[in-house]
Amino acid sequence: MAACHASAPALGTAARFHPQDDKRGTLDLCFRHLAGLAPADVVAPIALPEGSPYGRLAIDKDKCTLCLACINACPVKALSDDESQPRLRFREASCVQCGLCVATCPEDALQLSARLDL
């Protein structure tokens, strides 16, 4: 019995990246590669259960006084300031949803939400 591979669906192009020194960096490259293979209408943020290590940070601009306490509390440097103008920068790919920024904010201006944004 001969195997027929002609009808097997194409899996897409092979990934062309090397593993990084850190697991999260390698996962980020995997997510980017898979998102590139998916149809455009499928690539949207994926809701995750609370406590997941990926997600976004909502900043209430009316409450935030730019005291920068959250930046100093972030262990993974997902938050930073902008030297050219007064504002916070957030890098979602780095955030581990630990909640230290939320707990440290004296203005109660931050809120975490778990999701995976490809």
Side-chain angles (χ1 to χ4, degrees):
M1 183 184 219
C4 179
H5 296 288
S7 63
L11 297 176
T13 59
R16 298 190 172 267
F17 61 83
H18 298 284
Q20 303 297 298
D21 291 335
D22 65 303
K23 292 177 187 176
R24 194 168 181 98
T26 301
L27 276 173
D28 187 47
L29 292 172
C30 291
F31 293 149
R32 288 175 191 233
H33 175 72
L34 292 172
L37 295 175
D41 61 335
V42 174
V43 180
I46 301 167
L48 298 175
E50 187 176 328
S52 296
Y54 289 92
R56 66 183 285 253
L57 177 69
I59 303 168
D60 186 333
K61 295 176 185 178
D62 294 330
K63 290 182 178 180
C64 181
T65 61
L66 293 173
C67 71
L68 307 183
C70 55
I71 292 173
N72 293 325
C74 184
V76 293
K77 306 296 183 218
L79 284 164
S80 61
D81 64 338
D82 187 338
E83 295 178 11
S84 64
Q85 56 184 313
R87 69 175 172 178
L88 289 176
R89 291 180 182 255
F90 175 67
R91 185 173 189 275
E92 186 168 329
S94 297
C95 182
V96 295
Q97 298 281 291
C98 67
L100 290 174
C101 58
V102 174
T104 304
C105 180
E107 309 302 334
D108 195 29
L110 306 176
Q111 183 179 359
L112 294 172
S113 60
R115 72 177 193 172
L116 180 58
D117 188 5
L118 301 174

